[in-house]
Amino acid sequence: MPAPSLTHLMDEDTVDKIASQVRLSGSYLLFMAASGVLASVALLSDSVPILIGSMIVAPLMPPLALAPFALVARRRGEAGRGLRVALVGLALAFAAAWATTAVMSALGVVASDAVLLSQPLLQERVHPGWWSMAAAVAAGLAGTVAQASEKTDTLIGTVAALALVPAVGASAIAVYVGAAEPALGGLLLLGMNVGLIIGMGIVALLVSAGRPGLRPLALVPVVVVVVVGLLLARAQSTGTVSETPPNTGVTSNAGAAPR
């Protein structure tokens, strides 16, 4: 007899539908490369509209959402495929952001004496904090529900909240200038977002399914949250990531506001 279907948020057809969207196609790779270029340009020019564009362009939600859906449906192979597709896309975005930074520096678009890591938008992406963790938890829950409901508008907002590609872009710029600590900060933010969207997706689906046989999966989001919290606390205690960006509130046109 076939296994009983999951209720409310998903069934086997939902998993099949999401899985059909996840593949390393030419268009997926093109969009991910373009998002890396946009992220680099946005962070170096401190442009919020371009940064938002880099988030919207990146088609990362389906592969990341496939992981919790497939795990709850006990299709581990599909879960692994979704994560691999997401990581390949992120690696391509990293390479594109690094190459864009290198080309702009070589052409003099970015002044040779410019401190590339000084832009406020970039600083925010290399100094993740507890607010970043809270946002990723909410985005993971919202993204799972949106994917199940096929609400594209909600998905766009979720991707923007996760800020996956901007974190990758910030890390790429930091690697280009040889700054190890900011690069680790950006990668930490990226890892937090990836882990929490999968973990919180599992939470949403388990609550919806209500199947006792799936309860062991509840350990996955618990472990994710604990590990992310410990990593963040460790990074802040050792100074690898400071508790707040050092130039928070500073822009190119104004000094720091009084506190």
Side-chain angles (χ1 to χ4, degrees):
M1 292 180 62
S5 62
L6 304 182
T7 58
H8 304 301
L9 282 184
M10 66 170 285
D11 54 25
E12 292 295 336
D13 289 339
T14 305
V15 181
D16 291 337
K17 188 176 298 183
I18 297 172
S20 68
Q21 303 173 38
V22 179
R23 58 185 185 277
L24 285 173
S25 63
S27 59
Y28 172 79
L29 296 175
L30 177 63
F31 281 130
M32 289 305 303
S35 68
V37 172
L38 288 171
S40 176
V41 171
L43 293 170
L44 291 173
S45 63
D46 206 37
S47 171
V48 173
I50 298 177
L51 190 66
I52 293 173
S54 74
M55 301 174 196
I56 296 174
V57 165
L60 280 170
M61 196 63 212
L64 285 177
L66 179 59
F69 276 91
L71 285 173
V72 173
R74 294 173 175 167
R75 293 163 59 172
R76 295 180 181 177
E78 293 284 12
R81 183 170 69 88
L83 190 56
R84 286 193 299 273
V85 169
L87 292 178
V88 169
L90 289 168
L92 180 59
F94 181 98
W98 186 95
T100 301
T101 305
V103 169
M104 288 195 295
S105 297
L107 294 178
V109 176
V110 177
S112 59
D113 59 348
V115 180
L116 298 185
L117 296 179
S118 64
Q119 296 289 6
L121 279 181
L122 196 152
Q123 284 288 314
E124 292 172 10
R125 270 74 199 173
V126 296
H127 293 89
W130 297 108
W131 59 87
S132 307
M133 185 173 177
V137 167
L141 293 172
T144 301
V145 175
Q147 188 69 58
S149 306
E150 299 182 351
K151 292 184 178 180
T152 305
D153 54 339
T154 305
L155 282 179
I156 292 175
T158 301
V159 173
L162 288 171
L164 294 166
V165 173
V168 169
S171 294
I173 294 170
V175 168
Y176 175 79
V177 301
E181 290 185 6
L184 290 174
L187 292 176
L188 176 59
L189 177 60
L190 174 66
M192 287 171 57
N193 285 320
V194 170
L196 288 171
I197 187 175
I198 294 174
M200 293 304 105
I202 290 173
V203 168
L205 295 175
L206 289 181
V207 170
S208 175
R211 290 172 56 186
L214 293 173
R215 285 176 185 167
L217 268 178
L219 290 174
V220 174
V222 171
V223 170
V224 167
V225 171
V226 170
V227 170
V228 167
L230 289 175
L231 286 174
L232 183 56
R234 174 67 175 171
Q236 291 185 347
S237 68
T238 59
T240 301
V241 175
S242 60
E243 294 186 5
T244 57
N247 63 343
T248 298
V250 178
T251 65
S252 58
N253 298 320
R259 293 179 182 272

